[in-house]
Amino acid sequence: MKTTYKNITDILRLNRFIVLAVVSLCLLTSGLSLGLLYHYQEKLLNAAFAIQSDGTVLPLELVDQRENREVEALAHIERFHRLFYGIDGTNYRARLEKALWLGDASVDAVYRQKRSDGVYNRLLQFSLRQEVVQVDIELNLDQEPYSFRARTVFEVNRGTVTDRYQLDTSGELVPVDRNFPHNAHGLLITNFFEDALRKLEPQP
């Protein structure tokens, strides 16, 4: 009895169909995997988890990053101005050291200029006290670096006499690594300038 062989063309056609089917299935599976990966990545970026003391995991919804960044930027700028300008003869070294962590070389240049002008020596010599009364900030978060303008009102107490001044400053903020407690907001003041200083009339 003779063995019947299939047509070689039919066998090759069947093999090609199987190969194409396997390749198509692999491509489909890869596409679905990438789609699911992207979906869960987006989901994880908008959620966080906290572990309580008893070990339970709680999901937390993250607030909008822009709103969070605005709050941190405003707090960073205000903290810098209150540290840098709210000084007296007993605390200026410690406060200036903290303030210098919040800015780059442009802040250090302003500090060095004030030191060479004898500002801090006069604090000690005449027992002066500068107290920041108000800090108004205009902030632009449309693009990095974030530009800002600040108007700081501070009082200089000379014992029985108190003078009030208004200082306009400007600069930019760039994101950096957080460094607690020196720079908890993860921002750095750059291109800092003291634009204008004027004495205010005494309030009635």
Side-chain angles (χ1 to χ4, degrees):
M1 183 177 178
K2 291 184 178 181
T3 304
T4 304
Y5 294 100
K6 292 184 179 181
N7 190 319
I8 189 66
T9 304
D10 293 336
I11 295 175
L12 291 175
R13 186 179 294 115
L14 178 61
N15 287 342
R16 186 176 63 179
F17 173 77
I18 293 174
V19 171
L20 289 176
V22 171
V23 171
S24 299
L25 184 61
C26 290
L27 290 175
L28 180 62
T29 304
S30 299
L32 288 174
S33 300
L34 290 175
L36 288 173
L37 180 63
Y38 177 78
H39 170 73
Y40 284 111
Q41 182 186 17
E42 289 295 313
K43 188 174 181 181
L44 287 174
L45 286 175
N46 293 318
F49 299 90
I51 300 177
Q52 290 187 334
S53 57
D54 60 357
T56 58
V57 179
L58 295 176
L60 299 174
E61 292 298 326
L62 293 178
V63 296
D64 181 77
Q65 290 187 357
R66 181 181 176 87
E67 292 180 358
N68 190 42
R69 177 56 78 190
E70 181 178 8
V71 171
E72 290 198 283
L74 292 172
H76 186 89
I77 297 168
E78 179 168 357
R79 182 168 189 266
F80 166 76
H81 283 79
R82 290 190 178 277
L83 286 172
F84 199 71
Y85 297 104
I87 55 179
D88 59 39
T90 61
N91 68 10
Y92 79 94
R93 287 189 177 90
R95 293 178 72 87
L96 290 175
E97 181 180 355
K98 292 178 181 179
L100 290 174
W101 276 96
L102 307 181
D104 70 350
S106 61
V107 172
D108 186 64
V110 174
Y111 158 71
R112 291 178 182 277
Q113 183 61 47
K114 288 180 175 294
R115 189 176 64 180
S116 65
D117 291 342
V119 172
Y120 306 120
N121 286 336
R122 287 194 292 273
L123 283 176
L124 295 171
Q125 184 177 357
F126 300 106
S127 299
L128 304 180
R129 181 168 57 89
Q130 287 186 188
E131 181 180 356
V132 175
V133 178
Q134 181 179 345
V135 182
D136 296 320
I137 303 166
E138 296 178 7
L139 179 64
N140 182 8
L141 292 175
D142 290 339
Q143 63 180 4
E144 294 183 14
Y146 312 126
S147 60
F148 73 87
R149 300 186 68 85
R151 175 162 292 174
T152 304
V153 177
F154 63 90
E155 294 179 343
V156 178
N157 187 294
R158 296 180 171 86
T160 59
V161 178
T162 300
D163 295 323
R164 179 175 286 224
Y165 295 88
Q166 176 181 295
L167 175 66
D168 294 332
T169 56
S170 61
E172 296 176 333
L173 286 177
V174 294
V176 295
D177 292 336
R178 296 177 189 270
N179 184 348
F180 184 83
H182 301 300
N183 191 337
H185 296 115
L187 294 166
L188 194 71
I189 295 174
T190 64
N191 296 322
F192 180 70
F193 292 102
E194 292 183 343
D195 299 315
L197 174 67
R198 69 184 183 92
K199 186 176 180 180
L200 300 177
E201 296 297 327
Q203 295 181 339

